[in-house]
Amino acid sequence: MSPLRNRGWILPSLIIVLALIVAGLGSAWAALIILALGFAGITAFHLVHLYRLQRWTTSSQEHYVPPPEGIGVWGDTLAALSRRERQRVAFQTMQRRTIEQFYRMAEALPDGVIVLDKHCRIEWANVRAQQWLVLDLGKDRGQSLGNLVRMPEFLRFLTDGEDADVASPDDEAVQTQQQELQQRALVIPAASDAGKVLALQQAPFGQGGRLLLVRDVTQYEAAARLRREFTASVSHELKTPLTVIVGFLETLQETPMSSMSESSRAHYFDLMQTQASGMQRLVDDLLTLSDLESGTRNKEEEWFATTPWLQSLQQQTQALSQGKHIVTLTLPKEETLVHGVHDELASAFTNLLTNAVRYTPEGGKIELSWVIDSKGRGIFTVCDTGIGIAAEHLPRLTERFYRVDRGRSRASGGTGLGLAIVKHVLLHHDGELTVNSQIGKGSAFSVVLPAARVRLVR
Ligand code: ADP
């Protein structure tokens, strides 16, 4: 404030001028009294304002409380203080909201978050991280995380982070090291739940501290395990026929034509043909499965009549059975239409029929039936009088490459993928597969299609 705008000098000046005038008139005592009273009044005025200001400053200032009002020089000063105080409280409120927002955000994350200081002591953790790592922020704040999560690989992971933190962050090599560290994830089982798998990543945070991100990767890990198992199974399935074919080819190469009879050569070619056909079926089934599982499956669904379709499936089954089984078909009185991808449903039903032929000894019966139940659902059943399946195998039948009797499946040309294909086709058609079976008596595989996919033609 400029000295001119500061009105504090006006009153003392007036008192002095008045005292000088009175002194000039010859009354020195009166001038002294005016001076004493005037300055005593001014002092009292300032003391009162100072007292009110002191009371205001020592009161709680969390919310904006206007300072006391004042007059004269105090009016200006207190108004300026009021403005500053309002700004301070607004800034503090904004800061508090930002911090609250940060905590709410960290709590809303699907991941766990832990803030560590430079000695790896816990400063803060969201609820998810506390649950997964069995921490209690109330008790564990300030504790070293390495002492609470007692796993050697976790301690190594934290130590790696420390090494990267120690060096100067300007160093390019250190920056690369820190980036690598952020990308590197430690995968550990969750302390809270044996089935849960967690991936931990760390990043530099604040003053030499670290931010630990904890993600639930149970599903990714399970998918990765399935992929590994699947690759191993496919390799194994292809290895056996390939070994046989390569073996025969070597024999044919090494044996002079003249020393091999026509019939043994034909036998070798027959065996190689069988193995090659098996591989072809396997590759075809793998392609069908991958097509069904791919997210880009773009097949046209349509309404199609069931009677001619099921009759042709019955004929195919008869041809496959080569007259070794009695194949019957039961249809409802009214014609029905089904909504779906014709080729996919045909592939699923054919797999069930092929299995019935494969696993039913000669002379057995295979009954196909298509029934519309009281809820309007369509039920396609393949019932055979075959070898049957023990109850413990039933829950796993639709797993890829799951077979009850590996030798029997292979010998009859099975790939171990048929029921997996059925399962996936039904997933796309909102259908269900139910299996009833008894060892030695036979099996009944039923496909239930929802009423929305079935229509009666009247
Ligand atoms: P596969 O190509 O081996 O037949 P599937 O996935 O079609 O593979 O069937 C899985 C397993 O279920 C078969 O290996 C077989 O053990 C059993 N299975 C399927 N259908 C029948 C059936 N109708 N009777 C007895 N066992 C069956």
Side-chain angles (χ1 to χ4, degrees), residues 13-170:
S13 308
L14 281 176
I15 292 169
I16 292 168
V17 169
L18 187 66
L20 285 174
I21 292 170
V22 172
L25 290 173
S27 180
W29 275 110
L32 273 177
I33 289 169
I34 287 171
L35 274 179
L37 283 177
F39 282 100
I42 290 173
T43 309
F45 167 78
H46 286 302
L47 280 177
V48 168
H49 278 88
L50 259 179
Y51 170 72
R52 285 163 64 193
L53 179 64
Q54 192 210 10
R55 272 193 33 186
W56 174 73
T57 46
T58 50
S59 66
S60 155
Q61 302 281 309
E62 205 173 299
H63 303 291
Y64 173 71
V65 178
E69 290 192 351
I71 44 176
V73 66
W74 282 101
D76 295 339
T77 311
L78 290 172
L81 254 182
S82 168
R83 262 196 314 280
R84 208 172 286 178
E85 176 61 6
R86 205 176 290 140
Q87 281 168 357
R88 185 191 68 81
V89 170
F91 179 68
Q92 247 183 8
T93 311
M94 197 186 74
Q95 260 188 336
R96 208 182 38 245
R97 285 207 187 120
T98 311
I99 292 170
E100 279 169 9
Q101 185 90 345
F102 167 78
Y103 283 132
R104 272 206 299 275
M105 239 164 56
E107 289 299 358
L109 281 175
D111 299 338
V113 180
I114 305 177
V115 180
L116 299 174
D117 68 9
K118 61 178 171 214
H119 301 295
C120 282
R121 288 179 303 221
I122 302 172
E123 283 188 348
W124 186 81
N126 69 355
V127 172
R128 215 158 250 130
Q130 293 182 59
Q131 278 170 355
W132 290 342
L133 296 177
V134 193
L135 303 172
D136 176 354
L137 200 56
K139 263 186 7 231
D140 299 333
R141 199 193 291 266
Q143 300 275 338
S144 165
L145 187 59
N147 290 340
L148 299 169
V149 181
R150 295 193 151 271
M151 279 183 210
E153 63 269 40
F154 180 68
L155 287 178
R156 260 198 309 278
F157 173 73
L158 284 184
T159 322
D160 282 356
E162 266 168 19
D163 294 348
D165 291 344
V166 171
S168 151
D170 302 331

